[in-house]
């Protein structure tokens, strides 16, 4: 049973189901994105934030940030912009790489990002943001989107003006992380504020923050009336969640996933090996395991074992030992 629209339009793209991967540094690379596509239910993938300033110098063949496989589409590339003159060259690179969507990071509160003038620091200067968006709009032929937080303080007038300015300048979708800049991830997200944003603009509005279960997805949609959901930390924790929400909330016909947690982990390991240079694998396995370990009551043992590994094969062997003890698979027969 579903009465919710199971898609929305973003320029020429149909986002179906309306479930989006949130950009996450160190996590949303080619291996995780491929795993998510294999498990199903994702309507739009994302890169992690890419520095607009350094992007033109990156070697797309070698860069772990730009590596992309065939199944990873549609893919939104997120730009972290510090100044207007960085925008056009960076967008040109993304278009050459075949970006289906260009996203602007206007919300990131991380101190190192703010120091470089990006993320939430940029959004404190609406006039600069206007010029950045206008430059991106001129440069991009693909849909342009922006990801924001709710601001510094709860200020409906300011947030409304900001969102309307973004839409007026040509942003075609807003994803709203429903927290203020200084609010920690532990705080309950303010999904009702996403609903306010939705009333102010006519472009699709996607709700982000704190969606870990099908029940969260239902609650968030009920409170926000959002056109779609963007999922971050749950992606490396329960990569099959997109498929579950697609089926149970949006009525998409997908087979009920038979989740085999050790097998999903092994597939992620195989994708890291297949896609990334050896020196790029261990750090990303550690990042992923930090989240994946939350599936187990004794997951902190898994996380610590991988975290303290000196090399990739040691980490993989330690994870295998953990699964053998805590999640043994039935012996194959016949
Ligand atoms: C490790 C990590 C890295 C992140 N990196 C980015 C990023 O590169 N760009 C961005 O806009 N947000 C970034 N975020 C924020 C997420 O996109 C998302 O807004 C946030 O995690 C809330 O969603 P969730 O509760 O579903 O995780 C990051 C979050 C985490 C946990």
């Amino acid at each position: 049973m579903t009465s919710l629209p199971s898609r929305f339009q973003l320029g020429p793209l149909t986002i179906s189901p309306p479930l989006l991967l949130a950009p996450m540094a160190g996590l949303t690379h080619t291996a995780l994105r491929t795993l998510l596509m294999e498990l199903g239910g994702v309507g739009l993938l994302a890169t992690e934030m890419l520095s607009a300033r350094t992007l033109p110098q990156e070697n797309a063949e070698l860069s772990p940030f730009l590596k992309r496989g065939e199944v990873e589409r549609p893919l939104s590339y997120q730009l972290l912009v510090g100044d207007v003159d960085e925008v056009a060259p960076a967008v040109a690179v993304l278009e050459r790489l075949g970006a289906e969507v260009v996203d602007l990071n206007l919300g990131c509160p991380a101190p190192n990002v703010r120091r470089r003038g990006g993320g939430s620091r940029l959004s404190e200067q609406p006039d600069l943001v206007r010029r950045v968006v206008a430059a991106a709009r001129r440069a991009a032929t693909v849909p342009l989107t922006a990801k924001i937080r709710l601001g510094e303080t709860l200020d409906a007038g300011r947030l409304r003006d900001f969102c309307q300015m973004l839409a007026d300048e040509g942003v075609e979708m807003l994803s709203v992380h429903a927290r203020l800049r200084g609010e920690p991830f532990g705080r309950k997200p303010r999904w009702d504020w996403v609903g306010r944003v939705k009333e102010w603009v006519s472009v699709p509005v996607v709700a982000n923050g704190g969606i870990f279960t099908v029940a969260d997805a239902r609650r968030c949609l009920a409170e926000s009336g959002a056109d779609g959901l963007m999922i971050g930390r749950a992606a490396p924790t329960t990569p099959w969640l997109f498929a579950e929400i697609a089926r149970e909330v949006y009525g998409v016909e997908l087979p009920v996933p038979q989740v085999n947690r050790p097998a999903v982990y092994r597939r992620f390991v195989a994708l890291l090996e297949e896609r990334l240079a050896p020196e790029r694998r261990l750090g990303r396995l550690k990042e992923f395991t930090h989240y994946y370990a939350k599936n187990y009551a004794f997951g902190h043992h898994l996380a610590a074992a991988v975290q303290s590994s000196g090399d990739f094969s040691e980490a993989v062997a330690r994870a295998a030992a953990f699964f053998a003890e805590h999640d043994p698979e039935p012996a194959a027969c016949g």
Side-chain angles (χ1 to χ4, degrees), residues 22-25 27 49 78 105 147 177 185 208-210 232-233 291:
M24 287 183 293
L27 286 165
M49 56 186 160
Q78 190 187 58
N105 179 329
K147 181 162 177 282
H177 179 185
F185 282 169
N208 169 239
R233 290 162 296 159
Y291 291 94

Side-chain angles (χ1 to χ4, degrees), residues 6-20:
S6 62
R7 65 196 60 209
F8 67 82
Q9 205 61 29
L10 179 55
L13 294 175
T14 302
I15 307 300
S16 172
L19 294 173
L20 289 73

Side-chain angles (χ1 to χ4, degrees), residues 20 55 121 129 150 166 179 190 215 221 225 230 237 282 291:
L20 289 73
L55 190 59
R121 168 57 58 81
V129 176
L150 298 176
L166 294 176
R179 292 192 174 92
R190 303 168 188 272
L221 285 167
M230 175 180 268
T237 312
L282 180 60
Y291 291 94

Side-chain angles (χ1 to χ4, degrees), residues 185-196:
F185 282 169
R187 195 201 179 283
K188 193 177 172 302
R190 303 168 188 272
W191 291 325
D192 54 326
W193 277 75
V194 181
R196 291 185 166 211

Side-chain angles (χ1 to χ4, degrees), residues 55-319:
L55 190 59
Q57 284 87 54
E58 289 275 345
N59 180 336
E61 299 294 311
L62 301 177
S63 165
F65 309 109
L66 299 179
K67 195 109 188 174
R68 171 186 188 178
E70 262 313 298
V71 298
E72 296 168 53
R73 58 189 71 237
L75 175 57
S76 166
Y77 286 68
Q78 190 187 58
L79 280 182
L80 185 66
V81 177
D83 214 341
V84 180
D85 55 6
E86 300 168 1
V87 174
V91 170
V93 171
L94 298 186
E95 295 231 332
R96 270 204 304 283
L97 293 173
E100 279 87 8
V101 175
V102 171
D103 183 52
L104 298 173
N105 179 329
L106 301 179
C108 185
N112 59 336
V113 168
R114 284 176 60 80
R115 261 196 306 280
R116 283 181 274 142
S120 58
R121 168 57 58 81
L122 187 67
S123 55
E124 283 160 24
Q125 306 165 71
D127 203 55
L128 179 57
V129 176
R130 183 192 293 278
R131 287 186 288 127
V132 164
V133 174
R137 186 62 291 167
R138 276 195 301 278
T141 61
V142 297
L144 178 68
T145 64
K147 181 162 177 282
I148 63 170
R149 280 201 181 206
L150 298 176
E152 287 289 311
T153 56
L154 281 184
D155 181 338
R158 198 181 158 117
L159 182 62
R160 184 195 56 228
D161 291 351
F162 187 65
C163 294
Q164 289 178 344
M165 178 272 284
L166 294 176
D168 288 347
E169 291 296 339
V171 163
E172 291 166 82
M173 180 195 91
L174 279 177
S175 40
V176 184
H177 179 185
R179 292 192 174 92
L180 295 168
R181 174 167 79 80
E183 288 181 335
F185 282 169
R187 195 201 179 283
K188 193 177 172 302
R190 303 168 188 272
W191 291 325
D192 54 326
W193 277 75
V194 181
R196 291 185 166 211
V197 174
K198 187 149 171 55
E199 283 169 18
W200 297 327
V201 296
S202 55
V203 298
V205 174
V206 170
N208 169 239
I211 299 162
F212 291 98
T213 62
V214 170
D216 292 337
R218 287 193 207 283
R219 259 198 316 275
C220 176
L221 285 167
E223 285 181 31
S224 68
D227 297 289
L229 302 174
M230 175 180 268
I231 293 172
R233 290 162 296 159
T237 312
T238 46
W240 47 86
L241 179 64
F242 292 85
E244 288 178 354
I245 298 175
R247 208 183 52 251
E248 293 177 35
V249 177
Y250 289 107
V252 176
E253 288 195 16
L254 280 168
V256 178
Q258 298 297 319
V259 175
N260 174 333
R261 292 175 298 187
V264 168
Y265 190 88
R266 281 197 300 274
R267 178 65 185 144
F268 179 74
V269 166
L271 286 164
L272 283 176
E273 290 175 324
E274 196 179 300
R275 300 293 166 80
L276 296 178
E279 69 278 11
R280 304 293 192 176
R281 295 173 192 158
L282 180 60
R284 287 172 176 78
L285 186 62
K286 289 180 178 179
E287 290 277 349
F288 176 81
T289 307
H290 170 77
Y291 291 94
Y292 202 74
K294 298 185 195 304
N295 286 302
Y296 295 95
F298 292 96
H300 51 288
H301 293 308
L302 171 62
V306 169
Q307 199 59 40
S308 59
S309 295
D311 62 46
F312 187 72
S313 52
E314 183 181 23
V316 172
R318 287 177 171 188

